[in-house]
Amino acid sequence: MSEVEAWLDETPGETRGAVARDGRFTHLLIDREDTPPQHRLGASVVGRVIERARGLDAAFVDLGCDRPPGFLPGKAGMAGERLELEVTAEPRESKGPTLRRIGPGEGAPRLLSPGPTVRESLAKLAPGVVPIEGAEAMRAVIEAEQEALTDHVVVSDLGLDVAVQRTRALIAVDLDLAADAPRAARDRANRRGLQEAARLIRLKGWGGLVVVDLIGGAQDGEKVMSAARAAFDGPQVAFGPLSRFGLLQLSLPWTRTPVEEALRHGGPDMPAAIAGVRALRLALLEDRAAPRLTLVLPPPAADIAMPLVARLGPRAALRPDAACAPGAHMVVEDRP
């Protein structure tokens, strides 16, 4: 039976959660406080139809918050119609959240009920597992972030290299193994490669069309499809046929904002401020003897971080420093 672990980091400005199975991260959840709750997965809202999308059977919907507007596939009424909706996919790139129609709505566009919190989402992803919090959780989610931003996984015991890259059109997965590897080794590497690719794509929060370049030419179609379905298990996953070129195609549903986009949210100064506040909080947890610790940030990031640092308690302080490079931060101890 596989071992499941979960971590929860509730730092002012941003909450993160991570899940690992058998020591390998599978999910990273990021919830920024400045993200409109109407854009969060599972939120229930009242929206007003702005206009029909040209050339598509869909409509753009005002959700009562900052743009971009929501996207509602399927038939909707005329501009001005009020609808009750659920967010089924969070914003990505320049696209707004994807919506599902529940029924008619009344009143101004607004939030009716928020989607699940990070803590609630962890409970669904890791049932019965109490998430670890504090300094250990902070270190774990930082490690999960670093892995989510990589595009390679190496499985040294098999000599397997898995590359996962996202383009505007699709997600490309390349499985690589020594050319002279025997057939049995190729089959094992393909199965493990599909598992690692699925794990990394899930960790990144990606969806859409996936094309996998398998190892070797002639493939046993039934074995490949069975391994793919086990690796990419989940609702709304659609599998295409295995091509004669050894390419496997499948489609994954979009749900959350991709990790790399969530980390860039708010412009360059917001991520710098959040990273600095997290570093300060971690230092406060690890060094309880220091009477006061100060976060040093460049002025634009310091302006954002100021109210967040104030929530860390009397031992936390902030100092803007124009000499601090953009995006950088430093935590120093204040001594008498």
Side-chain angles (χ1 to χ4, degrees):
M1 186 174 181
S2 60
E3 181 184 4
V4 180
E5 300 170 278
W7 296 268
L8 178 65
D9 169 24
E10 295 179 304
T11 291
E14 182 183 82
T15 298
R16 295 189 188 189
V19 177
R21 188 177 296 274
D22 294 329
R24 305 285 283 172
F25 291 111
T26 58
H27 296 82
L28 176 60
L29 312 178
I30 300 175
D31 185 1
R32 286 268 177 87
E33 291 181 1
D34 62 335
T35 299
Q38 294 96 319
H39 288 180
R40 281 301 180 197
L41 183 67
S44 176
V45 300
V46 169
R48 178 179 60 85
V49 176
I50 302 172
E51 61 178 345
R52 299 290 301 172
R54 294 181 181 178
L56 298 173
D57 188 17
F60 295 110
V61 181
D62 173 18
L63 301 178
C65 59
D66 293 338
R67 296 180 73 88
F71 181 78
L72 176 62
K75 296 186 180 299
M78 303 294 292
E81 181 181 9
R82 265 68 171 178
L83 299 171
E84 185 176 342
L85 307 154
E86 180 187 6
V87 176
T88 59
E90 296 177 347
R92 64 183 189 278
E93 298 173 338
S94 60
K95 301 179 177 69
T98 302
L99 308 167
R100 179 179 69 86
R101 180 173 181 161
I102 298 175
E106 296 182 354
R110 66 195 186 278
L111 178 72
L112 294 178
S113 61
T117 64
V118 172
R119 185 183 292 274
E120 291 167 342
S121 296
L122 288 178
K124 293 181 179 180
L125 293 170
V129 177
V130 178
I132 298 169
E133 302 185 48
E136 184 178 348
M138 298 181 73
R139 289 190 291 268
V141 297
I142 290 172
E143 184 181 349
E145 174 194 327
Q146 293 170 345
E147 186 168 357
L149 295 177
T150 64
D151 57 10
H152 275 79
V153 176
V154 175
V155 184
S156 56
D157 60 328
L158 294 179
L160 170 67
D161 186 301
V162 182
V164 178
Q165 296 176 321
R166 176 184 166 207
T167 70
R168 291 182 62 181
L170 53 82
I171 300 168
V173 178
D174 181 44
L175 309 184
D176 192 23
L177 189 67
D180 58 350
R183 176 62 182 267
R186 294 201 301 270
D187 290 345
R188 288 196 303 272
N190 276 328
R191 288 196 299 271
R192 181 65 180 275
L194 288 168
Q195 294 170 2
E196 288 297 329
R199 182 186 67 82
L200 192 55
I201 291 170
R202 193 176 296 118
L203 182 64
K204 290 173 175 290
W206 289 353
L209 178 64
V210 181
V211 178
V212 184
D213 185 7
L214 297 160
I215 302 165
Q219 302 286 344
D220 185 322
E222 290 187 6
K223 288 184 177 179
V224 169
M225 294 306 297
S226 177
R229 288 191 173 93
F232 291 92
D233 180 37
Q236 299 180 321
V237 179
F239 293 88
L242 181 66
S243 80
R244 63 190 181 94
F245 301 108
L247 298 176
L248 171 67
Q249 298 182 61
L250 61 141
S251 177
L252 303 176
W254 282 104
T255 53
R256 298 187 181 274
T257 299
V259 165
E260 70 275 15
E261 295 181 27
L263 293 173
R264 294 196 304 264
H265 177 73
D269 295 320
M270 175 63 77
I274 294 293
V277 173
R278 178 169 282 105
L280 177 59
R281 178 169 177 253
L282 180 58
L284 290 167
L285 290 172
E286 293 182 328
D287 185 0
R288 298 186 180 275
R292 191 173 176 87
L293 295 174
T294 297
L295 172 63
V296 182
L297 283 170
D303 292 340
I304 298 172
M306 186 178 300
L308 306 179
V309 170
R311 290 160 56 185
L312 293 177
R315 295 175 58 226
L318 175 68
R319 185 172 74 240
D321 188 343
C324 191
H329 64 263
M330 181 170 55
V331 177
V332 298
E333 181 180 351
D334 283 347
R335 298 181 180 276

